[in-house]
Amino acid sequence: MFTFVLNLFRMIKNNFLFAGLITATIFTGSILNAQCNPVSEFSENFDTLSCCNMGVVPSCWNSILTAGGGNQIISSTSPASSPSNVYQTGYTKISIVVMPPLTNINAGTHHFKFKARVNSGPGLLDFGYITDVNDASTFVVLQSITINNLTYDNTSERTFDVPTTVPANARLAIRNPGTTWAGHYWDDAVWEPKTALSTIDLKLNDFKIYPNPFKDVITISETKEIQQLKITDVSGRLIKTIEKPSSKINMSELKAAIYFMTTEFKDGKSQTIKIIKE
């Protein structure tokens, strides 16, 4: 009888130590949720979650808190839709919120949109993708987002197309790169099909970029509604930013390669087009 009790005690002790080891491993870096099947659409307002543990995200999402204290929580402070929104902050401290796996991340049929604000401006978040949720260095920037609005107003919603060159196994993600002192809030994250264009969208997308491929100079037929252009390479690295562009843009300094030109309009919408430098 004594031997049976002793063995039982040892088994319980070993299981307790093993569970503690797992917990310690999980909370060192990436907050991992259970394996989930990829989805074709999602709409998340974070309202089933509450403040304020570090790294809390919805089921099938992930949170990466890097060394040095990257801060990401669910906050109840003035959300776009009550009672909760995501909060990321920390100067020089990086945090990444990873969205659920998708069946159609590079299909070109869907876009991502969300609402963002800051508690003091300007703020900066990166929209992009990550190929390994255990490795923050695999995050690739598709577009950096400057945020000045202090409330969820008519400028807070941003919409992003995702290039068809993004790897099929990648996960969309929002990163606070830790380059500003701002606290970043965001809410109402949606991955949805691109719908028929409204009259305003038709006007904004009426412009043409030519020639494509080009040699040194590229022409934009309509620039009135354009706030800025961003040129990135196929890895997502930002190459060039052009504020309030003219109709002719000299890109003779670029090497012959494939690039992506992201057009950011004055109303906050954006569109990404592949361009080829000969």
Side-chain angles (χ1 to χ4, degrees), residues 121-143:
L124 182 71
L125 292 175
D126 292 329
F127 169 69
Y129 64 89
I130 193 166
T131 55
D132 183 350
V133 296
N134 296 300
D135 186 354
S137 69
T138 65
F139 179 88
V140 176
V141 179
L142 290 176
Q143 186 170 331

Side-chain angles (χ1 to χ4, degrees), residues 145-197:
I145 314 157
T146 300
I147 306 168
N148 292 302
N149 52 294
L150 304 182
T151 62
Y152 289 112
D153 56 21
N154 59 3
T155 69
S156 62
E157 185 169 271
R158 310 295 184 93
T159 302
F160 308 95
D161 288 336
V162 176
T164 56
T165 52
V166 170
N169 66 337
R171 302 263 299 271
L172 297 180
I174 299 290
R175 179 178 70 173
N176 172 23
T179 56
T180 76
W181 290 100
H184 304 81
Y185 296 87
W186 53 275
D187 204 352
D188 296 347
V190 178
W191 177 250
E192 64 180 7
K194 299 177 183 179
T195 57
L197 296 176

Side-chain angles (χ1 to χ4, degrees), residues 44-230:
E44 180 58 64
N45 59 16
F46 311 103
D47 291 351
T48 62
L49 305 175
S50 58
C51 190
C52 293
N53 291 334
M54 203 76 71
V56 173
V57 288
S59 177
C60 298
W61 292 49
N62 293 94
S63 178
I64 300 175
L65 309 177
T66 58
N71 186 326
Q72 180 269 307
I73 63 172
I74 296 297
S75 171
S76 58
T77 303
S78 302
S81 56
S82 294
S84 301
N85 54 180
V86 174
Y87 178 72
Q88 289 177 271
T89 191
Y91 183 60
T92 72
K93 299 170 183 177
I94 296 171
S95 65
I96 304 173
V97 177
V98 184
M99 293 168 233
L102 298 168
T103 61
N104 50 4
I105 187 171
N106 57 5
T109 57
H110 289 57
H111 60 212
F112 174 74
K113 67 180 183 182
F114 79 144
K115 298 173 184 175
R117 68 176 184 88
V118 287
N119 58 12
S120 62
L124 182 71
L125 292 175
D126 292 329
F127 169 69
Y129 64 89
I130 193 166
T131 55
D132 183 350
V133 296
N134 296 300
D135 186 354
S137 69
T138 65
F139 179 88
V140 176
V141 179
L142 290 176
Q143 186 170 331
S144 293
I145 314 157
T146 300
I147 306 168
N148 292 302
N149 52 294
L150 304 182
T151 62
Y152 289 112
D153 56 21
N154 59 3
T155 69
S156 62
E157 185 169 271
R158 310 295 184 93
T159 302
F160 308 95
D161 288 336
V162 176
T164 56
T165 52
V166 170
N169 66 337
R171 302 263 299 271
L172 297 180
I174 299 290
R175 179 178 70 173
N176 172 23
T179 56
T180 76
W181 290 100
H184 304 81
Y185 296 87
W186 53 275
D187 204 352
D188 296 347
V190 178
W191 177 250
E192 64 180 7
K194 299 177 183 179
T195 57
L197 296 176
S198 66
T199 302
I200 295 176
D201 288 329
L202 287 170
K203 181 180 178 182
L204 294 179
N205 290 285
D206 194 35
F207 75 95
K208 294 179 176 61
I209 295 177
Y210 60 90
N212 192 16
F214 67 97
K215 291 185 178 179
D216 291 321
V217 177
I218 198 165
T219 300
I220 301 177
S221 63
E222 177 59 58
T223 61
K224 183 179 178 181
E225 300 294 337
I226 298 176
Q227 182 67 35
Q228 68 176 5
L229 298 174
K230 290 185 177 180

Side-chain angles (χ1 to χ4, degrees), residues 261-272:
M261 176 183 285
T262 299
T263 307
E264 296 184 0
F265 299 104
K266 293 178 180 178
D267 70 345
K269 292 183 172 64
S270 65
Q271 179 174 336
T272 301

